[in-house]
Amino acid sequence: MQKIFYLCALFLSMFAFCQSKKLVVTDDIQRFWNTYDVIIQEKDSIKQIEHIKEMYISKGTPGLSAIMQARNYTAESYIYAIRNYPKFWNSVRNNTLSANNYAKKIEKGLKKFTKIYPEAKPAKIYFTIGALRTNGTTMQDKVLIGAEIAMTDTKTYTEEIKKDFPYLINYFNTNPINDLEFLNVHEYIHTQQKSTIGNSLLAQTMMEGVAEFLTEVTLKTKSPNPQIEFGFKNEEKIKQEYSKEMFSPNVYNWLWNNPDNQFKMRDLGYFVGYAICKKYYEQADNKKQAIKNLIELDYNNENDLISLVDKANYFDKSVINYKNEYENNRPYVTKIEQFENGNQNVDSSIKQLTIHFSQPMNKNFRSFELGPLGEKNLIRITKVIGYSEDGKSLSLEVSLEPNKQLQLIIDKGFRSTTNYHLKPYLIDIKTNK
């Protein structure tokens, strides 16, 4: 009996070990549809929210929790999507329920990646159902797949979603479900990188480009994403326009954007990053070292980033020249009124502040931040009066606490009419009694 007990314990231990090694987790898919079936029979909106919370969210995998955090999903956003897109959900149901059928192929793809990059850290892939805000993203050691987008095809019903998500229609027409292996390897590579968010367009572009290009190298297949083929056909114009913005903190003209831009193609930053990585790799004598360099690059270390991009010889001149041009074109604060910056005896009864800029500013953008002394020492804005007609000054109503050092940062969220971000400007004064 003791021997039987020992063998059973050993078997259970081995089973648990094998389960822990499972790379692709799909449990949230069936759980969502069980919940969905209950919700569509329920007319009470409060109870619908209770059902999604109790049956799906609270019982979800760590991947569901992570994708909700990454894309700000709430119980309410799920219920909105379920109520408003019933034909869409019916059209994707069977596809998403087939997730297990793709798991083995995805795991084989991940093993191929470890052959080109043996230093790969372990990560798990979670197939979840979201509310139409991502087909795939990552958080730490988790790949997070939004199956309701990633597992669509040309038969997916789009009429209901075209108002809220017009860009998804073209994506569905590419039959994304056929490219799940590529998507998952791409996202898995992101889990190996040092950063998840780039501090400039170039940094974020390289993160995406590394994942896109090295997925091609891993799987020995071409990227299914239309940006790559389109990019090579329009490369010189794209390169010219991209170089003007590569050091901007704003990525949305080139990544995760809509196709309503001058090229009529979204996400062209993927192409630029891909093209840089491809050229870097092709010129490298040691391919394994090149792969390692691309993955382990600290994308937010500007000197290291510039050095690697320059080695690719993709742009017509050193990247530092584009940085200097960008900095020279940025607007800055020329002065403030109704007191001078740095004044240590400002009249606390002053109720207005006017900021003057070196260039006409885009009136749709403004951004203020706390100074180094924090919330308690803030120059408080009580009302935005507005811009001057020429866009070169902005007037604010303010409240100045007496006998105190006060600060306010005019932040880089301000943009010129030519779309360059403001050089941040710290207002630092002291008021009298």
Side-chain angles (χ1 to χ4, degrees), residues 89-135:
W89 290 112
N90 286 335
S91 71
V92 299
R93 182 169 185 150
N94 288 338
N95 280 9
T96 63
L97 286 170
S98 68
N100 277 332
N101 298 338
Y102 294 86
K104 286 186 178 180
K105 185 176 182 182
I106 291 168
E107 289 182 357
K108 286 180 181 178
L110 300 182
K111 287 177 183 177
K112 290 177 184 177
F113 172 68
T114 61
K115 289 181 180 177
I116 71 164
Y117 184 63
E119 299 89 346
K121 299 170 290 187
K124 278 193 175 183
I125 292 173
Y126 292 89
F127 274 72
T128 69
I129 300 286
L132 292 142
R133 293 181 194 161
T134 186
N135 63 333

Side-chain angles (χ1 to χ4, degrees), residues 141-416:
D141 61 347
K142 300 176 186 68
V143 173
L144 312 169
I145 301 300
E148 82 285 4
I149 297 179
M151 300 187 73
T152 53
D153 56 29
T154 56
K155 296 178 182 178
T156 302
Y157 187 82
T158 59
E159 194 64 27
E160 296 163 335
I161 68 166
K162 67 180 182 181
K163 181 180 177 182
D164 294 333
F165 307 100
Y167 52 88
L168 287 179
I169 297 172
N170 286 337
Y171 179 67
F172 294 169
N173 287 335
T174 66
N175 283 306
I177 195 169
N178 295 337
D179 302 310
L180 280 177
E181 184 184 25
F182 196 98
L183 171 66
N184 279 272
V185 173
H186 173 110
E187 296 298 340
Y188 191 87
I189 291 172
H190 281 315
T191 69
Q192 309 302 309
Q193 296 171 322
K194 289 184 178 180
S195 309
T196 55
I197 299 295
N199 58 14
S200 68
L201 173 60
L202 180 60
Q204 193 69 50
T205 294
M206 285 299 292
M207 285 183 207
E208 297 298 344
V210 167
E212 192 76 2
F213 175 69
L214 291 184
T215 301
E216 276 198 357
V217 175
T218 297
L219 300 178
K220 297 180 181 178
T221 187
K222 288 186 176 181
S223 167
N225 295 314
Q227 294 83 4
I228 308 304
E229 182 179 352
F230 178 91
F232 281 120
K233 290 179 179 178
N234 301 274
E235 189 166 16
E236 287 308 311
K237 178 64 174 175
I238 290 171
K239 192 187 299 188
Q240 179 185 345
E241 293 302 315
Y242 176 88
S243 64
K244 298 175 185 177
E245 297 184 60
M246 69 168 74
F247 286 97
S248 169
N250 175 41
V251 304
Y252 297 110
N253 288 333
W254 294 90
L255 295 166
W256 315 313
N257 57 333
N258 291 325
D260 55 349
N261 55 64
Q262 62 177 311
F263 296 104
K264 306 304 178 187
M265 173 64 71
R266 70 191 304 262
D267 293 336
L268 283 172
Y270 280 75
F271 162 71
V272 177
Y274 168 97
I276 294 169
C277 294
K278 179 178 173 66
K279 200 160 186 185
Y280 176 84
Y281 178 82
E282 289 175 345
Q283 293 176 142
D285 294 327
N286 187 331
K287 305 300 186 189
K288 286 190 175 181
Q289 186 61 48
I291 291 169
K292 185 176 172 67
N293 292 344
L294 288 170
I295 293 173
E296 297 180 5
L297 175 67
D298 184 349
Y299 305 93
N300 287 327
N301 182 316
E302 196 169 85
N303 290 333
D304 291 351
L305 178 64
I306 289 172
S307 175
L308 186 141
V309 175
D310 276 349
K311 288 175 183 174
N313 294 311
Y314 182 71
F315 295 100
D316 296 333
K317 52 190 175 184
S318 172
V319 174
I320 195 66
N321 291 299
Y322 297 108
K323 177 177 170 56
N324 292 336
E325 289 172 9
Y326 174 77
E327 291 297 331
N328 289 336
N329 283 314
R330 292 177 72 180
Y332 56 89
V333 175
T334 59
K335 66 175 181 178
I336 59 171
E337 302 176 303
Q338 285 58 34
F339 47 81
E340 290 186 3
N341 196 10
N343 191 328
Q344 299 297 294
N345 190 33
V346 173
D347 184 350
S348 60
S349 66
I350 290 174
K351 299 298 181 185
Q352 188 167 320
L353 168 64
T354 302
I355 307 161
H356 293 268
F357 302 97
S358 62
Q359 301 175 31
M361 304 300 287
N362 186 324
K363 298 178 182 180
N364 295 320
F365 294 95
R366 55 178 180 264
S367 177
F368 302 95
E369 295 289 340
L370 299 174
L373 296 178
E375 177 78 24
K376 293 182 179 179
N377 296 77
L378 179 65
I379 296 174
R380 300 193 180 277
I381 300 169
T382 56
K383 181 181 178 182
V384 177
I385 298 171
Y387 277 95
S388 60
E389 189 174 342
D390 64 3
K392 294 186 72 173
S393 67
L394 174 67
S395 295
L396 311 165
E397 284 187 9
V398 295
S399 175
L400 305 179
E401 193 173 343
N403 198 29
K404 197 165 188 179
Q405 185 174 0
L406 298 175
Q407 298 177 330
L408 180 69
I409 294 177
I410 315 301
D411 197 36
K412 61 187 178 184
F414 281 86
R415 298 185 202 175
S416 68

